[in-house]
Amino acid sequence: MKEWFVCKIKYQKQDEKGSVKNVNEPYLVDAMSYTEAEARIYEELSKLIQGEFIVSNISKSNISDVFFYDDADIWHKCKITYSVADDESGKEKKITNYMLVSAANVQEAYDRIHQSLNNMLVTFRVPSIIESPIVEIFPYVSEADREPEIPENLKSMDEMEDQE
């Protein structure tokens, strides 16, 4: 099961007008521990943020799943509820999960969460959807799944095949 951590980052950001202001932005990282979350966020953001930044806070998130769509960069936090029967008592038990979905607006987020969860065997409800302040999400990618970096003096096999 994935463990998501919210990492708040403080740094100086230049806006469109050219003025510099201090910001504190939240990012979501998939990690196994606080230590790994901190290491991963420093690794990921050192590629994106020019200049110095500091991790001001790391906390476990209540997010159970993330659904990413390429055409939107606004994250919406969806509250999902459903009922299951308790094995011991036989009573109905209400389960609540929180999920993030990328969408341009709340209606699109609602449609996408339904599309993403259409294979659930239980009937679920979506009692709330709010726009999340999360700037970006960094899921865990194993070394086997990463694209290998190719040195500048070499070409990839795809480029070699294209030349033939």
Side-chain angles (χ1 to χ4, degrees):
M1 185 171 136
K2 290 182 179 263
E3 187 78 50
W4 294 100
F5 291 85
V6 176
C7 300
K8 291 196 177 173
I9 309 302
K10 282 186 180 181
Y11 68 101
Q12 291 187 332
K13 184 177 189 177
Q14 188 172 15
D15 63 11
E16 298 85 30
K17 298 175 186 174
S19 62
V20 177
K21 65 178 191 175
N22 292 327
V23 295
N24 193 10
E25 297 178 330
Y27 292 82
L28 195 66
V29 179
D30 179 16
M32 295 180 69
S33 66
Y34 288 92
T35 304
E36 182 186 1
E38 183 178 21
R40 291 209 45 234
I41 199 68
Y42 272 110
E43 176 187 338
E44 296 288 350
L45 290 183
S46 65
K47 302 171 195 171
L48 300 175
I49 297 176
Q50 295 178 350
E52 294 182 19
F53 63 90
I54 186 165
V55 177
S56 62
N57 188 7
I58 299 176
S59 59
K60 281 190 180 182
S61 172
N62 61 357
I63 301 297
S64 62
D65 213 342
V66 173
F67 300 105
F68 176 75
Y69 291 84
D70 288 332
D71 65 345
D73 59 355
I74 300 172
W75 292 99
H76 293 81
K77 188 174 183 179
C78 304
K79 181 179 181 180
I80 311 299
T81 61
Y82 57 93
S83 296
V84 295
D86 188 351
D87 292 337
E88 294 174 11
S89 67
K91 294 181 181 177
E92 290 239 334
K93 182 178 174 184
K94 183 179 174 183
I95 307 291
T96 300
N97 284 321
Y98 293 92
M99 300 175 187
L100 285 178
V101 63
S102 60
N105 54 51
V106 172
Q107 180 61 50
E108 189 175 59
Y110 180 83
D111 294 340
R112 287 182 172 180
I113 202 70
H114 274 275
Q115 177 186 354
S116 299
L117 299 176
N118 68 359
N119 61 349
M120 281 185 69
L121 299 175
V122 296
T123 304
F124 64 91
R125 292 183 49 244
V126 184
S128 73
I129 298 176
I130 60 168
E131 190 173 315
S132 170
I134 299 291
V135 175
E136 194 163 341
I137 295 177
F138 299 107
Y140 178 77
V141 179
S142 70
E143 288 298 322
D145 293 336
R146 291 182 195 257
E147 288 286 326
E149 284 191 32
I150 299 172
E152 290 180 24
N153 62 334
L154 300 177
K155 295 181 181 178
S156 70
M157 292 299 290
D158 292 336
E159 290 176 317
M160 295 299 289
E161 290 170 359
D162 290 343
Q163 290 180 351
E164 292 177 1

